[in-house]
Amino acid sequence: MYQTSRHVVTGREKVEDFLQGHKAAIIVFWHREMMMAPFAWKKGTKFRMLISSHGDGRLVAKTVQRFGIECIEGSSSHERGVFVLKKMLDTLSEGISVGITPDGPRGPKGVLKDGVYALARLSGCPVLTLRWNSTTEYILKKTWDQMKLPLPFGRIEWIWGSPITLAHADTQSIFYKSIYAMLS
């Protein structure tokens, strides 16, 4: 799919410092769009992704590791959520960006969970939104998230949003509205 498609990245200038590894950020994208998210990250730049420790998550972990992306195993919805939050905070304090699907691992589709806000508040790091579209795509309608898959010979566009900080969004409500607006 990737090799037969044309590629466009929109908003790269907004996130260049993060893609080069000069600053750490919290990267968020919907679970249904995780298939193509690794292609947006610059190879060779350290990055860690929060991935479920269940069977499906292990398969995703093996896949993203081929892109040089390390995994933080766990889930914010799991009873080990505090432990996972600490691991992500430690990663960000090392200057390494982390990725989260804020509606995963079980949904509901397109609904933010509180972990993103807590991580941004405790780390002071900005949130960068990422989404993608393709001129030819297939939707897996029987999955909880309606996973998107690009089809060959189309045009794939990755869209980076402007950094969202708590300084710009002083309440949780405004913070969430900013993320929803950029992921839409």
Side-chain angles (χ1 to χ4, degrees):
M1 299 170 281
Y2 180 82
Q3 293 178 338
T4 64
S5 299
R6 288 177 291 136
H7 311 118
V8 177
V9 178
T10 302
R12 186 176 181 96
E13 69 284 352
K14 300 173 193 170
V15 298
E16 195 61 40
D17 281 345
F18 305 100
L19 294 175
Q20 297 296 330
H22 301 303
K23 296 180 183 177
I26 303 158
I27 315 298
V28 297
F29 48 90
W30 295 131
H31 194 273
R32 72 183 305 225
E33 296 189 354
M34 74 174 165
M35 181 68 72
M36 297 305 293
F39 291 100
W41 197 251
K42 184 177 183 221
K43 284 189 179 182
T45 302
K46 284 194 168 197
F47 181 69
R48 295 189 186 141
M49 185 74 204
L50 177 62
I51 307 253
S52 170
S53 55
H54 297 293
D56 293 353
R58 284 191 212 110
L59 177 63
V60 172
K62 285 181 184 178
T63 303
V64 299
Q65 286 170 344
R66 291 178 170 247
F67 289 88
I69 296 171
E70 299 174 32
C71 298
I72 297 172
E73 191 175 296
S75 169
S76 58
S77 61
H78 193 271
E79 62 269 1
R80 293 181 53 213
V82 172
F83 174 74
V84 171
L85 180 63
K86 174 142 180 29
K87 283 177 84 172
M88 289 190 294
L89 287 168
D90 290 346
T91 297
L92 290 164
S93 71
E94 293 172 31
I96 300 169
S97 293
V98 298
I100 301 173
T101 56
D103 59 346
R106 294 186 204 115
K109 176 182 87 170
V111 176
L112 287 167
K113 294 182 182 155
D114 292 336
V116 176
Y117 179 76
L119 188 58
R121 186 174 47 79
L122 293 170
S123 70
C125 289
V127 171
L128 303 176
T129 58
L130 174 64
R131 59 192 177 95
W132 65 268
N133 294 306
S134 177
T135 55
T136 58
E137 65 186 31
Y138 181 75
I139 308 240
L140 299 174
K141 294 182 179 169
K142 292 188 179 184
T143 61
W144 71 265
D145 60 355
Q146 296 186 333
M147 175 79 68
K148 288 174 34 176
L149 302 170
L151 295 173
F153 309 109
R155 177 182 176 266
I156 302 170
E157 178 183 25
W158 288 267
I159 303 140
W160 287 100
S162 297
I164 302 167
T165 64
L166 291 178
H168 296 109
D170 57 353
T171 67
Q172 187 171 356
S173 173
I174 293 170
F175 180 77
Y176 281 174
K177 284 179 185 175
S178 299
I179 292 174
Y180 279 119
M182 290 194 204
L183 287 176
S184 299

